[in-house]
Amino acid sequence: GTGDPMLLHRATYDDLYGATWMARDAAFTPIPLSGPGTWNLAGTLSPSPRTLVISDRSEYGNPVLTLPFGAQRIEGLPASDLKRSPLGTVQAEVRPGDFRYSVFVAQGATPEAPPGDADLRLPRFDRSVVQALADKLVPRGTPPREAATIITRYFAENFRYASWQAPPGGSYVARSQAMSALARFLDETRAGHCEYFATATVLLARAAGIPARYRSEEHTSELQSRLHLVCRLLL
């Protein structure tokens, strides 16, 4: 309904290198200016879109914009140029300081390119641990939505949230010294904060043959904003 909270998107990443998520081959292309301070993000505007006014601040200039999922049009943005990556990240040439703009939003619209072959490839980072767990959880031929449900239930029933990763102890010391933090999360501690759950979910989904990306979003209300790292399965 109209009272549902919005998820505000800043950037999407599709490649894990070591312990860092990156945007691979995500070159920006210019978005044509439609009018003074106005850019169309979609070819055709949906009838009766929702309107959201966003106040933001750029410390150094040329920020990545905070946009709701389904953004179709931007108005009142004091920018000289706007460009977008295939993953839906939008960057504006704006001077440092405070600025605001209006966004027209339509449910179901998305500026992202569809998932491709690269979204199915599991990075070399912790490949053996992730693939072994995916093979154990999700039998070959499992439909994508059923596989996603299995992975979600696995984390809900077997893992817990923790803001601190304790150092390895006991018989795990020698083994853990050669493991990454993510591998320890999956294989030993089964406890971590949101980035661990999101990263592990994306990689398990890919290992099970589901195109998935790591998305950084903000959940907003009228009173406050707080950052969430979530996994959106592109089915």
Side-chain angles (χ1 to χ4, degrees), residues 47-126:
S48 303
R50 297 175 65 180
T51 304
L52 181 68
V53 177
I54 297 178
S55 297
D56 207 341
R57 178 174 179 80
S58 173
E59 296 293 338
Y60 305 104
N62 302 336
V64 171
L65 296 184
T66 300
L67 295 172
F69 190 73
Q72 290 194 313
R73 182 183 179 96
I74 297 175
E75 290 187 356
L77 179 66
S80 59
D81 193 16
L82 208 66
K83 53 188 178 181
R84 177 171 55 195
S85 79
L87 298 180
T89 302
V90 177
Q91 185 178 26
E93 291 193 9
V94 176
R95 292 183 178 182
D98 297 324
F99 63 99
R100 63 187 302 174
Y101 50 96
S102 298
V103 184
F104 295 84
V105 186
Q107 185 176 6
T110 172
E112 290 187 352
D117 293 340
D119 294 297
L120 292 172
R121 291 200 300 263
L122 182 65
R124 287 176 296 179
F125 178 62
D126 292 329

Side-chain angles (χ1 to χ4, degrees), residues 61-212:
N62 302 336
V64 171
L65 296 184
T66 300
L67 295 172
F69 190 73
Q72 290 194 313
R73 182 183 179 96
I74 297 175
E75 290 187 356
L77 179 66
S80 59
D81 193 16
L82 208 66
K83 53 188 178 181
R84 177 171 55 195
S85 79
L87 298 180
T89 302
V90 177
Q91 185 178 26
E93 291 193 9
V94 176
R95 292 183 178 182
D98 297 324
F99 63 99
R100 63 187 302 174
Y101 50 96
S102 298
V103 184
F104 295 84
V105 186
Q107 185 176 6
T110 172
E112 290 187 352
D117 293 340
D119 294 297
L120 292 172
R121 291 200 300 263
L122 182 65
R124 287 176 296 179
F125 178 62
D126 292 329
R127 179 179 299 172
S128 60
V129 173
V130 173
Q131 190 64 58
L133 181 56
D135 292 341
K136 178 182 177 181
L137 291 177
V138 185
R140 290 187 179 275
T142 302
R145 292 191 181 277
E146 182 180 343
T149 300
I150 292 173
I151 294 172
T152 301
R153 185 185 303 121
Y154 175 72
F155 284 116
E157 295 178 352
N158 299 282
F159 287 69
R160 63 182 178 84
Y161 183 90
S163 59
W164 169 253
Q165 283 285 329
S171 60
Y172 287 112
V173 173
R175 183 182 176 203
S176 294
Q177 288 176 346
M179 298 176 68
S180 69
L182 181 62
R184 286 192 58 228
F185 167 74
L186 288 172
D187 202 42
E188 291 183 8
T189 66
R190 297 195 175 191
H193 45 80
C194 50
E195 290 89 344
Y196 284 92
F197 284 93
T199 297
T201 301
V202 170
L203 295 182
L204 282 173
R206 289 184 180 181
I210 304 173

